[in-house]
Amino acid sequence: MERLRVDKLLANMGIGTRSEIKRAVKQGKVSVDGKMIKDSGLIVHPEEQIISYEGEEVRYQAWIYLMMNKPPGVLSATEDERDRTVIDLLASNDRVLSPFPVGRLDKDTVGLLLLTNDGQLAHELLSPRKHVDKLYEARVHGEVGQADRDAFQAGVTLDDGYVTLPAELDVLENTLEDGEAYSSIRLTIREGKFHQVKRMFEAVGKQVVHLKRIAMGPLQLDSQLAEGEYRELDEAEVELLRSHRGNRP
Ligand code: URA
């Protein structure tokens, strides 16, 4: 574990907001290795130092929940030898808690990516048995219509023979560009096979040219986040995810 500011550490542990902690430091309520500190921005090493609040040791074990609008061109992985990963986009204060991406978006896919160090929650959200809804928006080469809607509702056979669970397809717009048909669509799937959305469209003879995830279970992508930006989930969002039980068919 890396070093971090003592006020960030205490805020992560739920002791108070950064400004409350600043005040507590001024009031002499915070000590590091037995010595009262004066600076709430002091950098500490949680594994090597003893941090106390009002005389009681604060044991450092914090959860972190981040929502990112994943940009294109980065991998949903914790590390990679060649490519940048979503972890490289995090500030060091957030990296300190070792969050990892919950599931994968392809390198060229953008949109909602949850990052957390809460393995239990990640496991529940990804469990194939839970069938947590994933909502995508896509631009597709080819004219998407009723036949595709019916096929996705019935389940389509992917290139490896797998038959997908029923999925809801909405066509938002059909356009013609340079004589080529394109469709803007929304698709809700309840599973997460490798390249699933792209392969579902391939199964009906069409090609996804842009893909964005909008929601995962009850968690919606914050429209204020530009690609590459992220923010912490608020308590209500964490609670929504924790209490979400998925859609068992
Ligand atoms: N389906 C895909 O094909 N790619 C993604 O990144 C996510 C779902």
Side-chain angles (χ1 to χ4, degrees), residues 23 31 62 101 111 159 193 249:
R23 212 172 316 131
S31 65
D159 46 15
K193 303 284 171 209

Side-chain angles (χ1 to χ4, degrees), residues 104-106 109 136 189 193 195-199 211:
R104 278 173 186 252
L105 291 178
D106 296 337
T109 300
Y136 292 90
I189 58 175
K193 303 284 171 209
H195 297 325
Q196 180 159 346
V197 175
K198 292 173 184 166
R199 289 162 71 212
L211 186 60

Side-chain angles (χ1 to χ4, degrees), residues 211-228:
L211 186 60
K212 177 175 186 172
R213 184 157 63 192
I214 302 294
M216 184 170 185
L219 188 66
Q220 305 260 353
L221 178 64
D222 183 337
S223 58
Q224 302 291 313
L225 291 175
E227 285 178 8

